Amino acid sequence: MTDPTRPSAASVVVVSGNPREGSRTLAAAEAAGRRIAELLGTDDVTTIELAAFAGEILTPDRPSADEAKERLARATVAVVATPVYKASYTGLLKSFLDLYGPDGLAGVVVVPLVVSGNPAHALAGEVHLRPVLVELGAVVPTRSLTLTEAQLTDLGAALDPWFARWAAPLRRAAGTAAATAELTGAAR
């Protein structure tokens, strides 16, 4: 028996925490999401662009935000992307993640993706974003995928080294997450 809250096939959800719609952060996250989907042998990739419903996130009635929150929680693998703002992730992304209760992302394999104008901010994903994701129960089996603005002009070449190093651990974690979801569903 499978868990009805999890899709039966692998799914990839891309979340862009950039407050500007159609951003380069979104483009980088979607490119990474497509590569992850190829790695997992799925074509189930969806995008959540937080800027599209930013005004709703802090309101009591938030149908788009709640739907996005549930979609992310059902993902096999998620790319959670942000530009670096003030040496950390955006307030928009923080506000969205704050909608989750404890373990709200339990079992979701997450790749933090950070876009920075300065290589000095390369650790923003590790120091600031990873702890929040782990606190929410996400599995973060890889280092953050960090890109500088200069690398955004050739995303394929920018993503290649990260995938060369982290594809195998990511695939293993996604397989373990899927197997755990099935066992959890079978135990109900």
Side-chain angles (χ1 to χ4, degrees):
M1 181 177 201
T2 59
D3 182 347
T5 64
R6 290 251 186 217
S8 57
S11 63
V12 178
V13 173
V14 172
V15 178
S16 174
N18 194 310
R20 190 173 53 81
E21 288 189 66
S23 67
R24 295 181 297 169
T25 302
L26 173 65
E30 288 180 325
R34 286 189 301 273
R35 292 276 294 265
I36 291 168
E38 288 174 25
L39 184 70
L40 301 179
T42 186
D43 59 1
D44 185 359
V45 181
T46 58
T47 297
I48 298 170
E49 189 171 13
L50 299 182
F53 52 88
E56 173 185 305
I57 290 176
L58 297 177
T59 64
D61 184 34
R62 49 181 187 263
S64 297
D66 288 340
E67 189 279 326
K69 182 180 95 166
E70 294 305 315
R71 190 172 357 142
L72 176 58
R74 289 189 309 266
T76 306
V77 178
V79 176
V80 176
T82 182
V84 172
Y85 275 18
K86 309 278 186 194
S88 188
Y89 55 94
T90 64
L92 176 59
L93 180 58
K94 173 70 167 126
S95 295
F96 177 71
L97 294 175
D98 282 348
L99 297 177
Y100 288 100
D103 293 324
L105 293 177
V108 179
V109 176
V110 177
V111 173
L113 186 150
V114 175
V115 175
S116 172
N118 186 334
H121 294 131
L123 289 177
E126 292 297 308
V127 173
H128 300 290
L129 187 52
R130 174 190 291 270
V132 172
L133 295 168
V134 170
E135 180 68 21
L136 292 174
V139 176
V140 187
T142 69
R143 293 273 174 101
S144 297
L145 173 50
T146 302
L147 301 170
T148 62
E149 288 179 7
Q151 292 175 296
L152 299 179
T153 58
D154 187 0
L155 282 172
L159 295 174
D160 286 344
W162 188 91
F163 276 92
R165 169 61 182 95
W166 296 108
L170 182 60
R171 188 182 302 118
R172 274 193 309 274
T176 300
T180 301
E182 283 199 31
L183 287 174
T184 302
R188 289 183 185 184

